[in-house]
Amino acid sequence: MPADPYPFEFDPATTALVIIDMQRDFVEPGGFGETLGNDVSWLQAVVPPLQIVLATAREVGLTVIHTREGHVPDLSDCPPAKLNRGDPSLRIGAPGPKGRILVRGEYGHDIIDELTPLPGELVIDKPGKGSFHGTSLGAELAELGITSLIVTGVTTEVCVHTTVREANDRGYECLVLSDCVGSYFPEFQRVGLEMISAQGGIFGWVAPSSAFLSALT
Ligand code: TIU
């Protein structure tokens, strides 16, 4: 299929759709992300195209993996370097508008209704920005024989980038769908995507979801 910086080849049998951190606290109005002063409309724009990609992936039987960023309730999996950031009243574990911020089991931590995982789809709870650090993702992908990842979700320059970088170092081919990843900052979105495909595809490929859907169906 056409992609930047050159065509991306994939076999659906060894490819997974990865949907990163489409959680209420990052995406929805009134959530943690908005509380930090971010404009969530940039992230909400990702939902409709991602719904189409998810529905199509399910139709053709692609492996679907969801991730959620968050911590166990006693925060024992949250290092001080991550915990002690920013305004104490808005820190991880503090009471937020949709439950304790980034704590597993809280309403705001869960995935938005539009993209609710189906039974049988893998949901990876991750303590970090990357999806491999501190999770079973690498082992699960090896078990499934997955070698290529179609990467979507939020935010482009944070958890999407960290995951793509982790995946690249582990030998996975990564295609990032440009309209299915979002940032609170338009300039980070643009540059974040450019950074992936620059230098001959230093971390992977970038293409719009329309190109991926054409290749898949
Ligand atoms: N999922 C993810 O990207 N976590 C973040 O904290 N992102 C921000 O941009 N803050």
Side-chain angles (χ1 to χ4, degrees), residues 15 21 48 64 76 106 108 168 177 179 183 194:
T15 300
D21 300 359
V64 176
S76 56
E106 300 286 336
N168 188 70
L177 299 185
D179 52 335
S183 170
E194 285 179 13

Side-chain angles (χ1 to χ4, degrees), residues 52-189:
I52 295 170
V53 167
L54 175 58
T56 310
R58 285 170 172 164
E59 268 168 40
V60 304
L62 212 66
T63 297
V64 176
I65 299 171
H66 307 257
T67 73
R68 296 183 296 204
E69 180 181 352
H71 300 275
V72 295
D74 70 3
L75 307 184
S76 56
D77 60 353
C78 186
K82 185 177 182 186
L83 188 59
N84 299 326
R85 295 273 175 86
D87 180 343
S89 67
L90 295 175
R91 279 182 190 160
I92 293 165
K98 294 176 189 282
R100 288 182 69 204
I101 293 165
L102 292 191
V103 171
R104 294 179 195 165
E106 300 286 336
Y107 181 75
H109 168 266
D110 212 350
I111 293 167
I112 59 171
D113 292 337
E114 294 91 326
L115 299 168
T116 302
L118 287 180
E121 290 176 351
L122 210 50
V123 179
I124 298 286
D125 278 313
K126 61 190 185 64
K129 304 303 184 195
S131 300
F132 289 85
H133 167 71
T135 75
S136 62
L137 181 59
E140 306 270 11
L141 293 174
E143 176 86 21
L144 293 164
I146 300 291
T147 55
S148 299
L149 305 178
I150 310 301
V151 184
T152 64
V154 297
T155 61
T156 307
E157 77 281 12
V158 183
C159 292
V160 170
H161 249 249
T162 308
T163 296
V164 168
R165 289 165 189 242
E166 284 185 320
N168 188 70
D169 280 351
R170 287 164 174 78
Y172 296 95
E173 312 272 27
C174 294
L175 170 70
V176 177
L177 299 185
S178 52
D179 52 335
C180 294
V181 294
S183 170
Y184 297 122
F185 306 94
E187 66 272 38
F188 291 177
Q189 171 77 359

